[in-house]
């Protein structure tokens, strides 16, 4: 399983006429978008354009830092989308990623260490995409 981000953008921030250093955290989290896809065994199994990848990276980092250290299920509590847009759930065989909006989509189960490694890879990709736009990604906690 792999998260892939590409085509980073700041469409709403630019439309509002704001510079990144002028906006509060919640605006950065919502306005930094990219195409997000999930790949499994070399094929794309899910994709969403203009996804708030900074917000997802932020909440995944908090999830891994939380008191249960990522042992509880994850559900993206997005400020711009309904709950369940991205879910990570534990099952007998490992961890699966899915979305309430595409109920037939769930990745194959993966081990927790594989999941954590992929979240960290995703975090690095988001930080690199944000930095390439000239924004300091330090507002996202370290996972």
């Amino acid at each position: 399983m792999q998260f892939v981000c590409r085509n980073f953008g700041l469409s709403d921030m630019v439309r509002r006429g704001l510079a990144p250093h002028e906006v509060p955290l919640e605006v950065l989290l919502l306005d930094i978008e990219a195409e997000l896809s999930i790949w499994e065994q070399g094929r794309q199994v899910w994709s969403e354009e203009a996804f708030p990848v900074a917000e997802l990276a932020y909440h995944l980092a908090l999830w891994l830092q939380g008191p249960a250290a990522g042992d509880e299920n994850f559900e993206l509590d997005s400020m711009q989308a309904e709950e369940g847009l991205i879910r990570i759930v534990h099952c007998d065989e490992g961890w699966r990623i899915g979305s309430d909006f595409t109920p037939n989509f769930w990745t194959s189960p993966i081990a927790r260490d594989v999941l954590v490694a992929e979240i960290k890879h995703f975090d690095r990709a988001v930080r690199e995409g944000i930095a390439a736009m000239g924004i300091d990604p330090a507002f996202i906690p370290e996972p």
Side-chain angles (χ1 to χ4, degrees):
M1 191 285 302
Q2 181 181 23
F3 288 109
V4 175
C5 301
R6 63 181 192 194
N7 301 323
F8 281 79
L10 294 167
S11 59
D12 288 340
M13 195 180 305
V14 171
R15 182 182 48 79
R16 294 181 201 156
L18 299 172
H21 66 277
E22 300 173 318
V23 299
L25 174 63
E26 59 271 8
V27 173
L28 280 174
L29 292 177
L30 291 177
D31 283 5
I32 297 173
E33 299 174 331
E35 178 185 333
L36 175 65
S37 56
I38 297 175
W39 291 71
E40 191 170 53
Q41 299 175 355
R43 66 181 181 88
Q44 181 178 304
V45 294
W46 183 86
S47 180
E48 182 77 31
E49 291 186 27
F51 191 94
V53 292
E55 184 181 30
L56 178 58
Y58 181 90
H59 287 291
L60 284 171
L62 293 178
W63 180 61
L64 290 178
Q65 292 177 2
D71 289 331
E72 296 177 348
N73 292 344
F74 172 84
E75 187 169 356
L76 178 61
D77 185 13
S78 175
M79 293 179 273
Q80 80 177 28
E82 293 182 39
E83 288 184 28
L85 182 59
I86 293 286
R87 296 182 63 214
I88 302 173
V89 298
H90 189 260
C91 64
D92 291 340
E93 301 85 25
W95 293 87
R96 299 178 75 173
I97 299 173
S99 172
D100 286 348
F101 299 101
T102 52
N104 295 329
F105 157 68
W106 284 98
T107 63
S108 299
I110 56 174
R112 185 179 184 289
D113 60 331
V114 173
L115 173 65
V116 170
E118 186 50 41
I119 289 171
K120 289 181 177 182
H121 178 264
F122 168 71
D123 180 80
R124 283 190 301 277
V126 170
R127 288 175 189 279
E128 289 171 6
I130 292 170
M133 293 187 298
I135 300 170
D136 182 359
F139 64 92
I140 299 174
E142 294 288 332

